[in-house]
Amino acid sequence: MTAHIMTRRGRPVRSHLWVLALGLIPFAIGCLATDEPAANNGQEPPASDAQGQVSGTPERSMGVAPSPAAGHAWVIFGADTVVAEVAATADQRADGLMYREEVPDGTGMLFVFQDNEVRAFWMANTYVPLDIAYMDPSYRIVDIVQMEPLVTDTYPSSAPAMFALEVRQGWFAEEGIGVGDQAEVVFGVGAGR
């Protein structure tokens, strides 16, 4: 297969397209994905299935590093991941998980604060029993407290916290997650960190 390329003097120059293609090979090789995991702010994505797919992340099949949905975060404790809604504004934190009928396993809410201090939550208008893990700025759990539905007394942390993760009551114990455990957190776009 040949192509004709005109020179400045108007003379055709015979060129083989394969020569042109050879020039593109180094470019194409540089664009190929490797088997090494993609960087994601130093965080590992949740475990993938046998085909390397992460549930609900079409980006993975397109060779793009997966990330949580907008307004969400992955809170990862080893092999366990909570897909958490992020409450980063005062209004979001005030609403929390109020009026929910359930909090399915593997889901929850991550409360994000701008400072590290003793925190206290209550359960007004919250119908589901919850566990709350208070975490320091490095996402290390400093306290886990069980909270009962509709209780308006506060549940304070025993140490300063910058983050709080609420999940279904009993989930932390069932997964063997306790005080001192370190989480990795990957925020989605617009999640407010």
Side-chain angles (χ1 to χ4, degrees), residues 171-188:
W171 186 84
F172 289 116
E174 291 166 12
E175 302 304 323
I177 297 167
V179 173
D181 286 347
Q182 182 75 41
E184 296 178 58
V185 179
V186 180
F187 288 91

Side-chain angles (χ1 to χ4, degrees), residues 132-154:
I132 187 167
Y134 293 104
M135 297 184 288
D136 68 14
S138 67
Y139 309 116
R140 186 180 58 83
I141 297 176
V142 297
D143 198 4
I144 296 177
V145 178
Q146 290 191 332
M147 302 187 299
E148 297 302 324
L150 305 173
V151 172
T152 56
D153 293 337
T154 60

Side-chain angles (χ1 to χ4, degrees), residues 95-103 122-130 147-151 166 168-169:
D95 290 343
L97 291 173
M98 287 183 177
Y99 307 109
R100 308 285 176 100
E101 296 295 327
E102 67 177 351
V103 177
W122 67 345
M123 295 285 283
N125 302 313
T126 306
Y127 308 135
V128 180
L130 300 172
M147 302 187 299
E148 297 302 324
L150 305 173
V151 172
E166 289 182 341
R168 174 190 56 80
Q169 193 175 89

Side-chain angles (χ1 to χ4, degrees), residues 40-116:
N40 191 1
N41 296 330
Q43 308 296 330
E44 290 294 320
S48 57
D49 65 15
Q51 289 79 34
Q53 299 289 322
V54 176
S55 298
T57 56
E59 298 89 356
R60 176 68 125 192
S61 63
M62 296 184 308
V64 177
S67 65
H72 289 74
W74 291 331
V75 184
I76 306 164
F77 297 96
D80 298 306
T81 299
V82 175
V83 177
E85 297 173 51
V86 174
T89 68
D91 288 341
Q92 291 169 334
R93 290 190 298 263
D95 290 343
L97 291 173
M98 287 183 177
Y99 307 109
R100 308 285 176 100
E101 296 295 327
E102 67 177 351
V103 177
D105 282 351
T107 68
M109 183 167 282
L110 180 65
F111 295 82
V112 177
F113 297 91
Q114 298 303 312
D115 53 3
N116 188 41

